[in-house]
Amino acid sequence: MTARLRSPAAQWTTLVPVLAVVLLALTWGRELPGWVVVLVTAILAGSVLAAVHHAEVVAHRVGEPFGSLVLAVAVTVIEVALIVTLMLDGGDKSATLARDTVFAAVMITVNGILGLSLLVGSLRHGTAVFNSEGTGAALATVATLATLSLVLPTFTTSKPGPEFSTVQLTFAAVSSLILYALFVATQTIRHRDYFLPIVKQNEPASPEQEHAEAPSTRTALISLGLLGLALVGVVGLAKGVSPTIESGVDAAGLPHSVVGVIIALLVLLPETIAAVRASRRNQVQTSMNLALGSAMASIGLTIPAVALASLWLPGPLVLGLGNTHMVLLALTMVVGALTVVPGRATPLQGGVHLVLLAAYLELALNP
């Protein structure tokens, strides 16, 4: 791993976060011409990839399932910061941005990342094998968080429309934090073995699956600092190009909710890359940890953050899903439970989840 940090690719991932922060300082608060938007977008994409690299270095140092947790929390920090900054500037049009982004993150992780990981793992190794106890607990937590935060507001009557009252929003935020904290404690302390990669049912992964020596503490700390720079760069630069994204969505005649989908696709790119890499190494449990951990963090940390931000945000905070999205969410959770229970999957299960993601994306573009 130390050798990787000295390679040209690793040097590139060291340089890009620094460039991103410098570019952010030069462009912050300015209206950007077209060529600058292109440059910012390129550095933004590079910062995402750099974040993946440095998160994996830190993850390799601390081991599973802590590594998946580090990347999930890092990605969620990006998501929360993007949502809050865009809501501050978006007015009434941003009232549904948190809901759209969180729901998009759930659909992309539970159907996209999970489905792609199962497909890649089963095609490469015959059958994708994972621990049903840990994965089932993660999916149950995601289903509960999604229902409390995104479904119930549609049916409450304390406020008109799909919104929570202040008391209800506070309950949802506190409950999300408690459930997330309980899951993290379960994943990292009491039942850590439920979330470790396995090769065969109930057998731990062999040492040969670790392809590189763990980095030193110094190397991991450097990567942690560069990960922080990369995240700052991603958040700030994404805010800079967000007016271009929104105007492009409006010019194309697409629903404004597509902005939330684009944000979710952007911030979940590091998780997707890391999950597919793990699946190719026959560490499907790591991929499941990344997918469901990101979905859980996206709800469990984003909802409390936007609830707190709503105290000074000028517009309303709409969290309740429409009928179409509730049907997709319910189908996703039912299919996910059927996928998780056996503890092993074939390409069919991966394909089913990817079709559900495709259906969500198609309906996002053509509601």
Side-chain angles (χ1 to χ4, degrees):
M1 184 64 70
T2 303
R4 285 178 61 190
L5 287 176
R6 294 173 181 170
S7 67
Q11 292 174 5
W12 177 78
T13 56
T14 301
L15 179 62
V16 167
V18 178
L19 287 177
V21 173
V22 172
L23 185 59
L24 174 61
L26 295 176
T27 59
W28 183 260
R30 294 182 171 89
E31 186 175 348
L32 306 181
W35 69 271
V36 176
V37 171
V38 173
L39 176 61
V40 167
T41 303
I43 297 297
L44 175 61
S47 296
V48 170
L49 297 177
V52 174
H53 171 81
H54 294 298
E56 286 188 332
V57 172
V58 176
H60 196 60
R61 174 61 183 174
V62 298
E64 279 296 319
F66 298 99
S68 301
L69 185 63
V70 168
L71 189 51
V73 172
V75 168
T76 305
V77 169
I78 300 176
E79 182 182 1
V80 172
L82 281 175
I83 291 172
V84 173
T85 52
L86 291 178
M87 288 180 70
L88 285 171
D89 297 335
D92 290 339
K93 289 199 306 181
S94 66
T96 61
L97 181 63
R99 178 199 68 186
D100 296 336
T101 305
V102 170
F103 182 63
V106 172
M107 297 302 289
I108 291 168
T109 52
V110 179
N111 286 321
I113 299 178
L114 187 147
L116 187 59
S117 298
L118 293 180
L119 185 64
V120 170
S122 58
L123 287 176
R124 188 174 178 87
H125 303 285
T127 304
V129 183
F130 50 89
N131 196 318
S132 59
E133 287 90 348
T135 308
L139 182 64
T141 308
V142 171
T144 302
L145 288 171
T147 302
L148 289 177
S149 301
L150 302 177
V151 176
L152 286 183
T154 304
F155 300 99
T156 55
T157 58
S158 297
K159 289 189 70 174
E163 298 180 48
F164 273 145
S165 67
T166 301
V167 174
Q168 291 168 341
L169 183 59
T170 301
F171 173 79
V174 172
S175 299
S176 297
L177 285 175
I178 291 174
L179 282 175
Y180 186 68
L182 283 173
F183 177 80
V184 170
T186 301
Q187 184 185 38
T188 59
I189 301 174
R190 293 187 62 87
H191 298 287
R192 183 184 174 189
D193 54 311
Y194 287 178
F195 302 90
L196 297 179
I198 57 177
V199 178
K200 295 181 181 180
Q201 191 69 26
N202 300 324
E203 291 184 10
S206 62
E208 289 78 11
Q209 285 184 288
E210 300 297 333
H211 298 291
E213 183 181 352
S216 65
T217 301
R218 178 177 177 274
T219 298
L221 289 175
I222 292 174
S223 283
L224 184 62
L226 290 171
L227 174 61
L229 286 180
L231 298 182
V232 170
V234 169
V235 172
L237 295 179
K239 184 179 185 300
V241 300
S242 62
T244 303
I245 295 174
E246 293 181 340
S247 61
V249 168
D250 293 337
L254 298 174
H256 193 72
S257 59
V258 174
V259 175
V261 178
I262 294 173
I263 292 174
L265 287 170
L266 175 66
V267 300
L268 289 171
L269 181 60
E271 296 280 36
T272 305
I273 296 172
V276 172
R277 285 178 178 173
S279 187
R280 286 175 57 85
R281 296 193 301 266
N282 203 21
Q283 296 180 336
V284 179
Q285 183 61 53
T286 299
S287 301
M288 305 293 266
N289 293 345
L290 286 166
L292 297 176
S294 294
M296 200 180 310
S298 179
I299 308 173
L301 300 180
T302 301
I303 296 301
V306 297
L308 183 62
S310 67
L311 295 176
W312 67 82
L313 290 174
L317 179 61
V318 176
L319 292 177
L321 295 172
N323 293 334
T324 303
H325 286 168
M326 283 192 288
V327 169
L328 283 175
L329 178 62
L331 182 58
T332 294
M333 294 308 161
V334 170
V335 171
L338 295 174
T339 298
V340 165
V341 167
R344 55 201 307 117
T346 65
L348 175 61
Q349 282 98 328
V352 169
H353 282 280
L354 291 176
V355 167
L356 285 175
L357 174 65
Y360 163 70
L361 294 176
E362 194 275 333
L363 290 171
L365 297 176
N366 300 287

